[in-house]
Amino acid sequence: MTNSAIHPFLQVEHLARAYPSPTGGDDVTVFDHVNFRIHKGEFVCVTGHSGCGKSTILNILAGLDSATTGNVFMDGREVSGPSLDRGVIFQSHALMPWLTVLENVSFAVKSRWASWSKQQVREHAMRYIELVGLKGAEHKKPSQLSGGMKQRVGIARAFSIEPKMLLMDEPFGALDALTRGVIQDELLKICAETQQTVFMITHDVDEAILLSDRIMLMSNGPHARIAEIVNNTLPRPRERSAIHREPHYYPIRNHLVDFLVSRSKQFGSLRDAPDAPSSPTVFDPADLLESGPSVVPAPPVGKPHIHLVNA
Amino acid sequence: MKTRLSLSQKAGLLSLALFAAILLVWQLATLPEAKIVAADVDPEYAALMGGGTASSASSFPTPAAMAQTVWQKLSDPFYDNGPNDKGIGIQLAYSLARVLGGFFLAAVVAIPLGFAIGNSRVFYQAINPYVQLLKPISPLAWMPLALYTIKDASASAIFVIFICSLWPMLINTAHGVANVRRDWLDVSRTLEVSPLRKAFRVILPAAAPTILTGMRISMGIAWLVIVAAEMLVGGTGIGYFVWNEWNNLSLTNVLFAILMIGVVGMALDSIFGVLSKRVAYQE
């Protein structure tokens, strides 16, 4: 554990991304000074308003996009392009419609282990199709599947290559609430079994609380940053039906909602302040409960950075 | 009790009715006028003038005479009595061979080139002016150049087919390849798929419906152009047959050839229709 604290699995340093201004002025910096670390086996969610650059960060981690400045290191090596070490689950599921479910997953498996025989590829792919509960539908085309089933295929495809890290860009954003719940439960189960390291973008506060170990909150762009990191102290295994009875549930949830509703906007005006925080504040509900029993919705006391944010 | 007809049954009945109506109008229009005049004209004189009998080669055929010709020609399609008298099957085979040859050559050039153009914006912009300039040229305008350089009539016809098949396939392939969904390309990038595997397993199937539409258009144009090209180069083929029969003043044979051109064109198009369905996918 101490070893992994010194050498985190994923390390992101001073990441920034600027685009040329559409009006021809100075470049528009979407986000800058983005620093964070993810340890092996950790499930980290990122949330923030649209336009803060969450998806761009994910694409940079995936190697599909590149940063203007800054570096990403995974497992001690710099990320410089797409790699089979990082599986991506796309919001639009991105299945190839001319292939069946089995062929879609097999395509990924064959890409990972090019020397495998047809039989090996098929068996491996089928194992992950079964894992997401799609046995019996393996010969269907994506157009014959519901939105939830398509996303399950996307999950099976990403897990099937056994990546060192999984990147998910709002994977359940397009699903109805019931389907989303079922797939979240499955994802929780699979991640617990495989000890998968995950980086996930979500707009859904409850999803973040259910799935993650830590939640990174991004301020609004331009010049967005990771403003706060919330330690999700809810014990595992978590049950959707029971987590709201946990004492830390509402403090965390209220903190997240407060951030998204009000603090995410204010943070932006602070970026030029001389004492602006260069590393994000860490919010831990355990501190909160120790400091007093009555402060459920209020911002935590005794955290100087929070005062600064609220100023 | 009333029985309800399905849509296709209704359409079928209407088609038959239309066919009957066409036959009726045709029959009425080709009634031998001679009968009215013939009563007070010496039959020998009438025969000399060529107006007295319906069997004259130059008169417009009646439906019955046409049917007889169709039957007779189709029952022996592959006879060969010298350069000016070959069965319809042989003539169509010559034309088909030229069309398929030119079309195949065009596909070999257009599809890889279209792939390259669709993959690279620089290449696309560099090639685009040439395509825009060359595309609207009637393929027959190339004929003198082809005859001068190739010095072979039949090969020149193939060249003309090549030129006219090239553009729709090239443009559609480039368009299809350029518009492959980013998601699919991103998936293959994250899976570290090799360029060749990506081309054949991702881009080609993704662009196949568009490419096939281009091939279908090309084939349609090629079959239109071959008739005109063969009228020019002569010798063999269905186009030459039409022109030769016009010179023989046999409208029956000309009509028969027109019918056959339509049938073969329809068959070629429906082959591509089947292929299109096979590569189609639903998102």
Side-chain angles (χ1 to χ4, degrees):
Chain A
M1 191 63 210
T2 45
N3 189 35
S4 72
I6 301 162
H7 301 289
F9 179 67
L10 183 91
Q11 186 158 4
V12 175
E13 288 175 351
H14 306 295
L15 214 59
R17 181 73 152 99
Y19 289 98
S21 164
T23 53
D26 289 344
D27 287 0
V28 176
T29 302
V30 186
F31 56 83
D32 54 10
H33 298 290
V34 168
N35 297 289
F36 61 89
R37 295 160 166 213
I38 296 177
H39 300 294
K40 203 155 183 64
E42 208 177 14
F43 197 125
V44 172
C45 279
V46 183
T47 191
H49 288 275
S50 302
C52 70
K54 305 181 295 285
S55 292
T56 310
I57 292 179
L58 184 133
N59 283 337
I60 293 169
L61 297 190
L64 294 171
D65 204 339
S66 53
T68 310
T69 59
N71 306 88
V72 177
F73 297 95
M74 192 181 88
D75 227 3
R77 248 176 283 160
E78 177 152 21
V79 169
S80 57
S83 156
L84 281 159
D85 288 340
R86 292 179 300 279
V88 184
I89 296 178
F90 298 85
Q91 178 175 16
S92 59
H93 60 77
L95 300 178
M96 300 184 196
W98 56 90
L99 300 178
T100 64
V101 169
L102 179 62
E103 286 164 346
N104 263 291
V105 180
S106 298
F107 180 73
V109 176
K110 190 81 188 158
S111 305
R112 182 84 165 99
W113 294 283
S115 61
W116 278 13
S117 71
K118 268 197 175 127
Q119 186 62 26
Q120 265 176 309
V121 169
R122 194 194 148 92
E123 276 170 17
H124 187 86
M126 275 312 292
R127 210 167 64 234
Y128 283 89
I129 289 170
E130 280 170 39
L131 195 66
V132 296
L134 281 181
K135 194 177 160 90
E138 66 267 24
H139 294 305
K140 285 191 174 157
K141 294 268 172 75
S143 58
Q144 298 167 281
L145 304 178
S146 67
M149 288 161 92
K150 281 183 211 168
Q151 199 51 276
R152 282 192 179 125
V153 182
I155 293 172
R157 180 173 63 186
F159 273 92
S160 71
I161 59 169
E162 295 175 0
K164 290 180 182 166
M165 181 165 189
L166 201 61
L167 304 167
M168 295 196 262
D169 189 357
E170 282 186 67
F172 313 132
L175 304 182
D176 64 272
L178 273 175
T179 314
R180 196 186 309 168
V182 174
I183 302 189
Q184 283 166 354
D185 286 340
E186 283 172 6
L187 185 65
L188 210 55
K189 204 179 70 197
I190 300 171
C191 285
E193 280 172 22
T194 54
Q195 290 293 305
Q196 184 69 55
T197 312
V198 184
F199 178 88
M200 173 172 170
I201 294 175
T202 179
H203 276 126
D204 183 340
V205 167
D206 294 302
E207 180 169 272
I209 296 175
L210 178 71
L211 297 173
S212 70
D213 297 308
R214 281 191 298 149
I215 302 157
M216 300 198 291
L217 300 171
M218 286 191 76
S219 59
N220 293 1
H223 292 277
R225 283 181 194 177
I226 293 176
E228 294 183 22
I229 293 176
V230 175
N231 285 334
N232 186 353
T233 46
L234 300 184
R236 291 186 187 269
R238 294 173 191 156
E239 286 286 333
R240 169 186 315 285
S241 53
I243 53 166
H244 62 276
R245 296 204 186 86
E246 295 288 339
H248 291 176
Y249 178 77
Y250 280 106
I252 294 175
R253 192 173 194 285
N254 290 341
H255 187 87
L256 295 178
V257 173
D258 277 351
F259 179 87
L260 289 175
V261 171
S262 54
R263 293 204 309 281
S264 61
K265 291 195 273 290
Q266 294 160 357
F267 192 88
S269 60
L270 281 167
R271 64 168 191 274
D272 296 325
D275 53 349
S278 61
S279 61
T281 328
V282 176
F283 172 82
D284 197 316
D287 303 345
L288 189 74
L289 289 183
E290 280 162 23
S291 67
S294 63
V295 277
V296 171
V301 193
K303 288 283 217 172
H305 289 319
I306 299 295
H307 287 299
L308 202 152
V309 165
N310 282 330
Chain B
M1 208 178 94
K2 252 183 168 176
T3 48
R4 285 185 174 275
L5 294 173
S6 75
L7 187 75
S8 53
Q9 279 172 320
K10 278 186 205 167
L13 280 177
L14 190 59
S15 278
L16 281 177
L18 266 175
F19 185 60
I22 291 166
L23 281 185
L24 185 71
V25 170
W26 185 359
Q27 180 69 40
L28 289 176
T30 53
L31 276 180
E33 295 160 52
K35 270 181 191 165
I36 312 157
V37 196
D40 50 328
V41 173
D42 181 13
E44 268 182 58
Y45 174 73
L48 272 172
M49 296 305 289
T53 50
S55 62
S56 161
S58 65
S59 68
F60 204 85
T62 62
M66 192 64 219
Q68 201 196 345
T69 307
V70 170
W71 176 251
Q72 179 216 325
K73 293 262 179 196
L74 285 185
S75 55
D76 185 15
F78 296 110
Y79 71 89
D80 188 353
N81 297 337
N84 279 339
D85 190 11
K86 293 186 204 301
I88 192 75
I90 291 181
Q91 303 288 27
L92 283 171
Y94 274 114
S95 298
L96 271 174
R98 285 181 190 130
V99 163
L100 292 179
F103 179 84
F104 180 74
L105 284 175
V108 166
V109 173
I111 292 174
L113 192 61
F115 240 80
I117 294 173
N119 262 326
S120 152
R121 288 205 62 79
V122 177
F123 210 15
Y124 180 87
Q125 291 200 356
I127 300 267
N128 196 37
Y130 295 101
V131 174
Q132 296 306 328
L133 178 74
L134 295 174
K135 192 176 62 161
I137 298 171
S138 166
L140 291 169
W142 293 96
M143 189 61 97
L145 271 185
L147 287 170
Y148 176 77
T149 46
I150 304 174
K151 295 183 177 67
D152 177 85
S154 192
S156 297
I158 292 173
F159 174 77
V160 166
I161 296 301
F162 166 81
I163 280 287
C164 77
S165 310
L166 194 66
W167 311 117
M169 277 195 268
L170 183 68
I171 291 165
N172 271 52
T173 305
H175 188 257
V177 168
N179 287 295
V180 173
R181 268 193 32 203
R182 266 214 78 76
D183 282 351
W184 301 330
L185 299 175
D186 280 348
V187 166
S188 38
R189 284 177 69 197
T190 58
L191 292 174
E192 296 185 54
V193 177
S194 69
L196 209 62
R197 186 155 179 259
K198 184 167 83 177
F200 281 102
R201 296 290 309 275
V202 181
I203 297 175
L204 190 62
T210 325
I211 296 174
L212 222 78
T213 305
M215 295 174 83
R216 196 173 179 175
I217 296 169
S218 284
M219 185 50 96
I221 294 175
W223 190 243
L224 290 179
V225 166
I226 191 65
V227 175
E230 285 171 345
M231 282 180 179
L232 280 176
V233 299
T236 49
I238 192 72
Y240 168 74
F241 179 81
V242 170
W243 202 248
N244 196 33
E245 294 305 323
W246 164 236
N247 286 336
N248 293 341
L249 281 180
S250 170
L251 288 180
T252 318
N253 283 348
V254 170
L255 260 180
F256 172 67
I258 288 172
L259 186 69
M260 283 301 110
I261 293 169
V263 168
V264 173
M266 195 168 81
L268 288 173
D269 191 64
S270 54
I271 290 171
F272 279 94
V274 171
L275 289 176
S276 290
K277 258 193 195 137
R278 199 165 289 177
V279 298
Y281 54 82
Q282 207 186 341
E283 284 189 42

Coordinates of all heavy atoms in Angstrom, one line a residue, chain B residues 9 57 68 90 93 95 127 143 173 184 188 251 269:
Chain B
Q9 N -50.7 -8.0 -55.0 CA -51.6 -8.6 -55.9 C -52.3 -7.5 -56.8 O -52.4 -7.6 -58.0 CB -52.7 -9.4 -55.2 CG -52.2 -10.8 -54.8 CD -53.2 -11.5 -53.9 OE1 -53.8 -10.8 -53.0 NE2 -53.4 -12.7 -54.1
A57 N -40.6 -6.1 -94.3 CA -39.6 -5.9 -93.3 C -39.6 -4.5 -92.7 O -39.3 -4.3 -91.5 CB -38.2 -6.3 -93.8
Q68 N -43.6 -13.5 -82.4 CA -43.0 -14.6 -83.2 C -41.5 -14.4 -83.3 O -40.7 -15.3 -83.2 CB -43.6 -14.5 -84.6 CG -43.5 -15.9 -85.3 CD -43.8 -15.7 -86.8 OE1 -44.4 -14.7 -87.2 NE2 -43.4 -16.7 -87.6
I90 N -25.0 -14.2 -78.6 CA -23.6 -13.9 -78.8 C -23.4 -12.4 -78.8 O -22.4 -11.9 -78.2 CB -23.2 -14.5 -80.2 CG1 -23.2 -16.0 -80.2 CG2 -21.9 -13.9 -80.7 CD1 -22.8 -16.7 -81.5
A93 N -23.4 -11.3 -75.3 CA -22.2 -11.8 -74.6 C -21.0 -10.8 -74.9 O -20.2 -10.5 -74.0 CB -21.9 -13.2 -75.0
S95 N -21.2 -7.7 -75.6 CA -21.4 -6.4 -74.9 C -21.1 -6.6 -73.4 O -20.5 -5.7 -72.8 CB -22.8 -5.9 -75.1 OG -23.1 -5.7 -76.4
I127 N -6.9 15.9 -55.5 CA -7.4 15.1 -56.6 C -8.8 15.7 -57.1 O -9.1 15.6 -58.2 CB -7.7 13.6 -56.2 CG1 -6.3 13.0 -55.8 CG2 -8.4 12.8 -57.2 CD1 -5.6 12.3 -56.9
M143 N -13.6 8.6 -77.2 CA -13.4 7.6 -78.2 C -12.3 7.8 -79.3 O -11.5 7.0 -79.5 CB -14.8 7.3 -78.9 CG -14.8 6.1 -79.8 SD -14.5 4.6 -78.9 CE -16.1 4.0 -78.7
T173 N -16.7 5.8 -53.1 CA -15.7 5.1 -52.2 C -15.1 6.2 -51.3 O -15.0 6.0 -50.1 CB -14.6 4.4 -53.0 OG1 -15.3 3.5 -53.9 CG2 -13.7 3.6 -52.1
W184 N -16.1 4.2 -34.5 CA -15.5 2.9 -34.9 C -14.0 3.0 -35.1 O -13.3 2.1 -34.8 CB -16.2 2.4 -36.2 CG -17.7 2.3 -36.0 CD1 -18.4 2.0 -34.9 CD2 -18.7 2.5 -37.0 NE1 -19.7 1.9 -35.1 CE2 -20.0 2.2 -36.4 CE3 -18.7 2.8 -38.4 CZ2 -21.2 2.3 -37.1 CZ3 -19.9 2.9 -39.0 CH2 -21.1 2.7 -38.4
S188 N -11.1 1.1 -33.0 CA -9.9 0.3 -33.5 C -8.6 0.9 -33.1 O -7.6 0.2 -33.0 CB -10.0 0.2 -35.1 OG -10.5 1.3 -35.6
L251 N -37.2 -3.2 -88.3 CA -37.6 -2.6 -87.0 C -38.0 -3.6 -86.0 O -37.8 -3.4 -84.8 CB -38.8 -1.7 -87.3 CG -38.5 -0.4 -88.0 CD1 -39.7 0.5 -88.2 CD2 -37.4 0.4 -87.2
D269 N -28.8 -4.6 -62.7 CA -29.1 -3.8 -61.6 C -29.6 -4.6 -60.4 O -29.3 -4.3 -59.2 CB -30.2 -2.8 -62.0 CG -30.4 -1.7 -60.9 OD1 -29.4 -1.0 -60.7 OD2 -31.5 -1.6 -60.3

